[in-house]
Short mmCIF file of all heavy atoms in Angstrom, two decimals:
data_model
loop_
_atom_site.label_atom_id
_atom_site.label_comp_id
_atom_site.label_asym_id
_atom_site.label_seq_id
_atom_site.Cartn_x
_atom_site.Cartn_y
_atom_site.Cartn_z
N THR A 275 223.76 214.16 32.43
CA THR A 275 222.35 213.94 32.52
C THR A 275 221.94 213.32 33.89
O THR A 275 220.78 213.43 34.26
CB THR A 275 221.86 212.95 31.42
OG1 THR A 275 222.71 211.73 31.39
CG2 THR A 275 221.89 213.63 30.04
N LYS A 276 222.86 212.72 34.64
CA LYS A 276 222.51 212.21 35.93
C LYS A 276 222.22 213.45 36.86
O LYS A 276 221.21 213.42 37.59
CB LYS A 276 223.61 211.35 36.52
CG LYS A 276 223.74 210.01 35.87
CD LYS A 276 224.89 209.25 36.44
CE LYS A 276 224.98 207.82 35.77
NZ LYS A 276 226.07 207.00 36.30
N LYS A 277 223.11 214.46 36.77
CA LYS A 277 222.86 215.64 37.56
C LYS A 277 221.48 216.31 37.05
O LYS A 277 220.75 216.83 37.89
CB LYS A 277 224.00 216.55 37.47
CG LYS A 277 225.26 216.03 38.07
CD LYS A 277 226.42 217.00 38.01
CE LYS A 277 227.67 216.45 38.70
NZ LYS A 277 228.92 217.34 38.55
N ALA A 278 221.32 216.39 35.71
CA ALA A 278 220.21 216.98 35.15
C ALA A 278 218.94 216.39 35.72
O ALA A 278 217.97 217.05 36.05
CB ALA A 278 220.30 216.91 33.59
N LEU A 279 218.95 214.98 35.72
CA LEU A 279 217.74 214.28 36.20
C LEU A 279 217.35 214.66 37.58
O LEU A 279 216.16 214.83 37.96
CB LEU A 279 217.97 212.69 36.10
CG LEU A 279 216.84 211.87 36.61
CD1 LEU A 279 215.55 212.07 35.80
CD2 LEU A 279 217.16 210.37 36.59
N SER A 280 218.44 214.81 38.49
CA SER A 280 218.14 215.19 39.81
C SER A 280 217.50 216.60 39.96
O SER A 280 216.55 216.75 40.68
CB SER A 280 219.49 215.17 40.66
OG SER A 280 219.14 215.30 42.07
N LEU A 281 218.06 217.56 39.20
CA LEU A 281 217.49 218.92 39.22
C LEU A 281 216.11 219.01 38.57
O LEU A 281 215.23 219.65 39.10
CB LEU A 281 218.46 219.82 38.50
CG LEU A 281 219.85 219.96 39.11
CD1 LEU A 281 220.77 220.87 38.19
CD2 LEU A 281 219.83 220.50 40.55
N ILE A 282 215.89 218.30 37.45
CA ILE A 282 214.66 218.31 36.84
C ILE A 282 213.55 217.62 37.67
O ILE A 282 212.40 218.10 37.83
CB ILE A 282 214.77 217.55 35.41
CG1 ILE A 282 215.54 218.42 34.48
CG2 ILE A 282 213.27 217.29 34.84
CD1 ILE A 282 215.87 217.73 33.18
N SER A 283 213.93 216.57 38.32
CA SER A 283 212.98 215.84 39.22
C SER A 283 212.61 216.68 40.33
O SER A 283 211.43 216.65 40.79
CB SER A 283 213.65 214.48 39.65
OG SER A 283 213.90 213.62 38.61
N ALA A 284 213.52 217.35 41.00
CA ALA A 284 213.26 218.24 42.10
C ALA A 284 212.21 219.28 41.65
O ALA A 284 211.26 219.60 42.37
CB ALA A 284 214.47 218.94 42.64
N ALA A 285 212.43 219.91 40.44
CA ALA A 285 211.51 220.92 39.94
C ALA A 285 210.09 220.31 39.73
O ALA A 285 209.07 220.85 40.04
CB ALA A 285 212.03 221.58 38.71
N PHE A 286 210.09 219.15 39.05
CA PHE A 286 208.82 218.45 38.77
C PHE A 286 207.95 218.11 39.92
O PHE A 286 206.72 218.32 39.92
CB PHE A 286 209.14 217.18 37.98
CG PHE A 286 207.94 216.48 37.47
CD1 PHE A 286 207.24 216.94 36.35
CD2 PHE A 286 207.42 215.29 38.10
CE1 PHE A 286 206.11 216.26 35.84
CE2 PHE A 286 206.32 214.63 37.61
CZ PHE A 286 205.69 215.14 36.55
N PHE A 287 208.61 217.80 41.10
CA PHE A 287 207.89 217.45 42.26
C PHE A 287 207.74 218.62 43.32
O PHE A 287 207.30 218.45 44.44
CB PHE A 287 208.51 216.23 42.96
CG PHE A 287 208.33 214.94 42.23
CD1 PHE A 287 209.30 214.30 41.52
CD2 PHE A 287 207.09 214.35 42.21
CE1 PHE A 287 209.11 213.09 40.88
CE2 PHE A 287 206.77 213.17 41.53
CZ PHE A 287 207.79 212.60 40.82
N GLY A 288 208.09 219.83 42.78
CA GLY A 288 207.84 220.93 43.63
C GLY A 288 208.85 221.29 44.70
O GLY A 288 208.47 221.89 45.80
N GLU A 289 210.13 220.88 44.49
CA GLU A 289 211.18 221.08 45.45
C GLU A 289 210.76 220.71 46.82
O GLU A 289 210.74 221.48 47.86
CB GLU A 289 211.56 222.61 45.47
CG GLU A 289 211.94 223.20 44.17
CD GLU A 289 213.36 222.77 43.73
OE1 GLU A 289 214.05 222.16 44.54
OE2 GLU A 289 213.65 223.20 42.54
N PRO A 290 210.48 219.39 47.07
CA PRO A 290 209.93 218.91 48.31
C PRO A 290 210.93 219.06 49.48
O PRO A 290 210.53 219.21 50.69
CB PRO A 290 209.59 217.46 48.06
CG PRO A 290 210.40 217.07 46.88
CD PRO A 290 210.49 218.33 46.08
N ALA A 291 212.25 219.06 49.17
CA ALA A 291 213.27 219.23 50.25
C ALA A 291 213.21 220.61 50.90
O ALA A 291 213.85 220.82 51.94
CB ALA A 291 214.62 218.97 49.73
N LYS A 292 212.48 221.58 50.30
CA LYS A 292 212.27 222.90 50.94
C LYS A 292 211.17 222.78 52.03
O LYS A 292 211.07 223.70 52.90
CB LYS A 292 211.94 223.89 49.92
CG LYS A 292 213.16 224.22 48.95
CD LYS A 292 212.78 225.32 47.99
CE LYS A 292 213.91 225.66 47.09
NZ LYS A 292 213.59 226.67 46.09
N GLN A 293 210.34 221.69 52.00
CA GLN A 293 209.29 221.57 52.98
C GLN A 293 209.61 220.50 53.98
O GLN A 293 209.21 220.58 55.16
CB GLN A 293 208.01 221.12 52.25
CG GLN A 293 207.54 222.09 51.19
CD GLN A 293 206.36 221.40 50.38
OE1 GLN A 293 205.34 221.10 50.90
NE2 GLN A 293 206.59 221.23 49.05
N VAL A 294 210.41 219.48 53.58
CA VAL A 294 210.80 218.45 54.39
C VAL A 294 212.37 218.51 54.68
O VAL A 294 213.09 218.48 53.71
CB VAL A 294 210.48 216.99 53.82
CG1 VAL A 294 210.89 215.86 54.73
CG2 VAL A 294 208.98 216.95 53.50
N LYS A 295 212.77 218.62 55.89
CA LYS A 295 214.22 218.66 56.21
C LYS A 295 214.86 217.31 56.08
O LYS A 295 214.34 216.37 56.69
CB LYS A 295 214.38 219.22 57.65
CG LYS A 295 213.95 220.68 57.83
CD LYS A 295 214.21 221.10 59.28
CE LYS A 295 213.65 222.50 59.52
NZ LYS A 295 213.73 222.97 60.91
N VAL A 296 215.78 217.22 55.27
CA VAL A 296 216.47 215.87 54.96
C VAL A 296 217.74 215.74 55.76
O VAL A 296 218.58 216.55 55.66
CB VAL A 296 216.72 215.80 53.48
CG1 VAL A 296 217.29 214.37 53.12
CG2 VAL A 296 215.41 215.97 52.65
#
Side-chain angles (χ1 to χ4, degrees):
T275 52
K276 289 181 180 179
K277 292 179 179 178
L279 178 63
S280 190
L281 297 175
I282 291 171
S283 298
F286 184 76
F287 287 107
E289 304 284 353
K292 291 182 178 179
Q293 303 171 61
V294 180
K295 295 178 182 176
V296 183

